[in-house]
């Protein structure tokens, strides 16, 4: 089933203060030259070894958005002016914005907390020992190849040890009862939504 | 405290983190100050939320400490990050689940900590033999503040360095940065109140001092005392002197009460006696100062200038005046 999601809806589905920055980053990330307000991602939904491909189209109406969030147009301009050296942080924020969209479309949940240093990033249930949330990552390029490395962890080299991937990190955390991974790439426009547990 | 208050703290922390990432994504500087502050505020809110729990479950405490540690690293404050790292429950780090929790933080923390230790060791080598920060080179101090703008202690060093050289604007700038990172540190607030009268125009200084005093007047003797001294200084040659002296009197009474039985209490008592004279409309004389035990009578009789004596009294009554004596520079 294809999903069409207007970013204006995020102000209803999610906490407006929490999504302000990710939405601004997302608009600028998808549309750096202010040319197109609709972008379609191939969304791969996977659970264990099974998966199916779907499509999610993200669009926006900047006038409607500005009516809800007066500072948004200014925030988008700020991102568009940012140098390419800062693109990594912008990609990070844009991926959070897209994950908010995915959580709204696929789980119909409201994110209540954001953590940076202990997965999962976006929590929709903060009951101690039964945390439920979504781990997020964004990549500018390399699509599924980059996703595989994010999920499984980069392999070791003679100089650097192998790292634990996001999937294994979430599986090992006993206090996380339900976890998803939401990964997004701009070039090509692909995404993975994986239910890691239960 | 209610659960909802804790939730609100953590919600605010979440919003601050998003804001800080945005600042890093849009400001083309190595460590934008506003991002540093937002990350630092977020870390302190995480810890404030943890402190509301009487007996937090192990994993709740571990998550809060890990998050705060990482946020302090984001804020370029490896010193506070190290404190949090050491408070992560030991039993967590030994388990597979704990290792997974720490997987993101551990390599970053270890790397940042090693760099910080190296930088700090290099800095200490450059200090004069006395080990006094005031003797450090300004370029080295600036480098420290630029590399680790989230460490309030480094701004404190910059403040001390500038203050020792009478560079008041620079001192205030550094102290304001320290205050922003440690808003509950009353010493920073009190000294900032004192500096305001040296740096800002009288109207602005009054407004700034009053704003800070409002916040701490019920709880801090130091803030009351510094407010009283700063206002006394600002009142000199002002047409509003009589009105301001009423405020000085209120503050010094509070300082005396809050600091009863301490050396600050003694300083507040002396200032109180002086302000009482002013309140009654009397112009203090050399003999009054002598009765306060401040100067030998012979000196007083020869050259008495009220403004100079009052300034000396202000210095004498300032807390953190380490030697507690009237400095020679005051003309005695």
């Amino acid at each position: 089933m294809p999903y069409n999601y207007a970013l204006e809806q995020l102000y209803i589905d999610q906490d407006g203060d929490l999504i302000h920055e990710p939405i601004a980053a997302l608009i600028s990330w998808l549309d750096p030259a202010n040319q197109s307000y609709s972008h379609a991602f191939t969304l791969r939904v996977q659970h264990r070894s099974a998966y199916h491909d779907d499509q999610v189209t993200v669009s926006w109406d900047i006038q409607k958005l500005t009516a809800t969030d007066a500072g948004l147009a200014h925030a988008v301009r700020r991102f568009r002016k940012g140098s390419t050296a800062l693109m990594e942080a912008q990609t990070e924020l844009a991926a959070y914005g897209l994950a908010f969209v995915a959580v709204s479309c696929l789980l119909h949940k409201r994110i209540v907390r954001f953590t940076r240093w202990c997965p999962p990033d976006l929590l929709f249930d903060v009951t101690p020992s039964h945390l439920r949330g979504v781990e997020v990552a964004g990549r500018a390029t390399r699509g599924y190849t980059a996703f595989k490395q994010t999920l499984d962890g980069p392999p070791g080299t003679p100089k650097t040890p192998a790292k634990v991937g996001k999937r294994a990190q979430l599986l090992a955390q006993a206090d996380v009862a339900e976890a998803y991974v939401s990964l997004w790439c701009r070039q090509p426009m692909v995404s993975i939504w994986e239910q890691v547990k239960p | 405290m209610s659960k909802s208050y804790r939730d609100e703290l953590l919600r605010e922390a979440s919003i601050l983190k998003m804001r800080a990432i945005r600042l890093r994504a849009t400001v083309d500087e190595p460590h934008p100050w506003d991002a540093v502050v937002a990350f630092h505020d977020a870390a302190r809110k995480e810890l404030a939320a943890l402190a509301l729990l009487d007996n937090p479950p192990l994993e709740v405490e571990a998550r809060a400490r890990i998050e705060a540690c990482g946020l302090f690293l984001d804020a370029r404050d490896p010193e506070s990050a190290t404190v949090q790292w050491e408070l992560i429950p030991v039993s967590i780090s030994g388990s597979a689940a704990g290792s997974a929790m720490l997987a993101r933080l551990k390599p970053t923390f270890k790397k940042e900590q090693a760099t910080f230790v190296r930088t700090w060791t290099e800095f200490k080598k450059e200090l004069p033999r006395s080990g006094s920060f005031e003797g450090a080179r300004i370029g080295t101090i600036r480098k420290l503040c630029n590399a680790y703008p989230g460490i309030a202690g480094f701004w404190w060093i910059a403040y001390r360095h500038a203050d020792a050289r009478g560079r008041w604007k620079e001192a205030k700038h550094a102290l304001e940065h320290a205050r922003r990172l440690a808003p509950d540190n009353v010493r920073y607030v009190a000294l900032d109140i004192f500096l305001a009268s040296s740096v800002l125009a009288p109207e602005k200084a009054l407004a700034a001092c009053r704003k800070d005093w409002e916040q701490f007047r019920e709880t801090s003797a130091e803030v009351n005392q510094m407010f009283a001294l700063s206002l006394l200084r600002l009142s000199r040659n002002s047409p509003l002197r009589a009105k301001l002296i009423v405020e000085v009197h209120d503050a010094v009474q509070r300082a005396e009460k809050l600091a009863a039985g301490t050396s600050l209490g003694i300083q507040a008592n002396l200032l109180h006696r002086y302000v009482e004279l002013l309140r009654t409309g009397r112009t203090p004389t050399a003999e009054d100062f002598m009765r306060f035990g401040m100067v030998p009578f012979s000196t007083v009789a020869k050259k008495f200038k009220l403004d100079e004596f009052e300034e000396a009294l202000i210095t004498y009554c300032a807390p953190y005046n380490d030697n507690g004596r009237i400095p020679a520079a005051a003309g005695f």
Side-chain angles (χ1 to χ4, degrees):
Chain A
M1 183 183 81
Y3 299 92
N4 290 303
Y5 196 89
L7 288 183
E8 299 86 275
Q9 184 65 25
L10 265 190
Y11 284 92
I12 297 161
D13 294 340
Q14 301 294 336
D15 180 336
D17 290 328
L18 201 52
I19 58 169
H20 169 82
E21 310 289 2
I23 285 185
L26 176 56
I27 290 175
S28 157
W29 192 65
L30 290 176
D31 182 23
N34 197 12
Q35 289 169 330
S36 169
Y37 55 87
S38 181
H39 300 264
F41 283 86
T42 301
L43 173 69
R44 178 161 292 181
V45 182
Q46 53 188 48
H47 184 40
R48 303 210 166 90
S49 56
Y51 74 84
H52 68 272
D53 281 347
D54 232 321
Q55 185 172 298
V56 58
T57 302
V58 179
S59 64
W60 60 87
D61 177 330
I62 198 73
Q63 281 183 330
K64 280 187 190 167
L65 281 173
T66 312
T68 313
D69 185 344
L72 193 77
H74 177 63
V76 172
R77 276 197 299 276
R78 247 179 347 218
F79 275 109
R80 284 188 176 136
K81 274 188 199 163
S83 72
T84 45
L86 305 168
M87 195 48 83
E88 198 180 325
Q90 191 178 336
T91 302
E92 182 187 2
L93 262 184
Y96 289 132
L98 287 162
F100 276 112
V101 169
V103 170
S104 305
C105 286
L106 300 167
L107 296 179
H108 309 288
K109 298 283 186 191
R110 197 174 173 87
I111 297 300
V112 292
R113 202 169 295 166
F114 165 46
T115 60
R116 268 178 67 72
W117 289 93
C118 202
D121 299 315
L122 303 177
L123 293 162
F124 52 86
D125 185 344
V126 290
T127 308
S129 305
H130 291 87
L131 300 176
R132 300 195 297 157
V134 182
E135 179 69 2
V136 183
R139 298 287 179 265
T141 56
R142 292 178 58 233
Y144 293 116
T145 312
F147 292 167
K148 185 172 169 13
Q149 203 171 71
T150 306
L151 283 168
D152 300 339
T157 67
K159 284 184 180 172
T160 56
K163 283 185 183 167
V164 182
K166 286 188 183 291
R167 189 187 286 126
Q169 281 181 29
L170 289 166
L171 285 170
Q173 291 185 53
D175 61 340
V176 178
E178 186 177 340
Y180 303 82
V181 177
S182 180
L183 308 176
W184 299 84
C185 178
R186 190 172 59 174
Q187 189 65 41
M189 289 191 113
V190 291
S191 169
I192 279 184
W193 174 268
E194 176 172 325
Q195 182 172 353
V196 175
K197 63 163 63 163
Chain B
M1 288 288 177
S2 67
K3 182 175 178 286
S4 62
Y5 176 63
R6 184 169 180 272
D7 287 344
E8 188 50 33
L9 272 177
L10 291 168
R11 177 180 171 270
E12 286 168 8
S14 299
I15 294 164
L16 280 166
K17 290 175 222 175
M18 288 291 188
R19 182 164 176 264
I21 299 171
R22 189 264 292 167
L23 285 160
R24 279 213 307 216
T26 51
V27 182
D28 206 353
E29 288 169 20
H31 312 299
W33 172 245
D34 288 344
V36 165
V37 168
F39 276 129
H40 215 275
D41 283 352
R44 283 185 280 106
K45 278 184 195 286
E46 291 280 342
L47 294 174
L50 176 66
L52 293 174
L53 302 173
D54 284 336
N55 280 309
L58 217 56
E59 71 273 11
V60 171
E61 177 167 7
R63 279 188 176 272
R65 304 262 180 228
I66 289 169
E67 184 70 2
C69 177
L71 292 170
F72 280 129
L73 292 179
D74 281 325
R76 303 298 297 159
D77 181 1
E79 202 176 44
S80 302
T82 304
V83 172
Q84 293 311 313
W85 177 265
E86 283 166 2
L87 288 170
I88 296 170
V90 179
S91 53
I92 283 281
S93 50
S95 67
S99 298
M101 272 185 183
L102 288 165
R104 192 178 294 174
L105 178 65
K106 196 173 181 177
T108 311
F109 173 74
K110 293 288 179 193
K111 190 176 153 205
E112 289 291 338
Q113 194 199 30
T115 312
F116 174 64
V117 168
R118 224 171 24 245
T119 310
W120 181 237
T121 310
E122 287 301 312
F123 172 71
K124 283 199 292 186
K125 273 187 207 162
E126 287 193 25
L127 290 180
R129 274 193 183 170
S130 65
S132 152
F133 296 135
E134 283 92 335
R137 282 193 307 219
I138 183 64
T140 314
I141 293 174
R142 283 192 185 133
K143 243 191 255 174
L144 268 188
C145 290
N146 287 338
Y148 297 105
I151 299 183
F154 286 173
W155 291 109
W156 172 250
I157 290 173
Y159 156 74
R160 293 277 299 266
H161 190 273
D163 186 69
R165 285 157 181 77
R167 295 203 294 259
W168 309 126
K169 276 191 181 169
E170 211 174 304
K172 187 153 172 46
H173 172 81
L175 194 57
E176 279 169 356
H177 280 65
R179 270 191 74 178
R180 189 62 193 79
L181 297 165
D184 296 328
N185 187 323
V186 287
R187 171 174 283 209
Y188 294 167
V189 179
L191 287 167
D192 200 21
I193 286 176
F194 199 51
L195 265 179
S197 58
S198 305
V199 175
L200 304 175
E203 286 293 312
K204 278 191 178 170
L206 270 176
C209 291
R210 282 183 180 133
K211 192 177 163 203
D212 284 335
W213 183 57
E214 288 286 328
Q215 205 186 333
F216 291 95
R217 68 180 173 184
E218 304 296 339
T219 50
S220 167
E222 291 99 317
V223 169
N224 275 294
Q225 181 79 349
M226 286 302 215
F227 177 72
L229 294 170
S230 208
L231 242 63
L232 182 59
R233 186 182 269 168
L234 286 165
S235 73
R236 210 178 294 141
N237 305 321
S238 162
L240 300 173
R241 174 125 165 144
K243 208 172 158 189
L244 293 172
I245 291 300
V246 176
E247 271 183 272
V248 174
H249 186 252
D250 179 17
V252 77
Q253 274 187 312
R254 289 171 190 271
E256 199 177 356
K257 198 172 162 191
L258 286 165
T262 68
S263 58
L264 176 57
I266 296 166
Q267 289 169 304
N269 175 264
L270 174 60
L271 181 63
H272 189 181
R273 284 160 63 199
Y274 179 69
V275 174
E276 281 292 1
L277 285 182
L278 299 176
R279 229 165 54 105
T280 55
R282 255 192 59 194
T283 304
T285 62
E287 285 74 18
D288 290 322
F289 280 92
M290 193 199 69
R291 278 193 291 107
F292 297 153
M294 290 190 60
V295 282
F297 183 73
S298 57
T299 314
V300 171
K302 280 181 191 164
K303 44 174 185 180
F304 176 74
K305 287 181 185 164
L306 179 58
D307 285 0
E308 282 179 13
F309 273 63
E310 190 176 280
E311 191 55 34
L313 180 87
I314 287 171
T315 311
Y316 179 79
C317 291
Y320 325 124
N321 176 9
D322 293 338
N323 56 21
R325 285 182 286 109
I326 302 168
F332 294 90

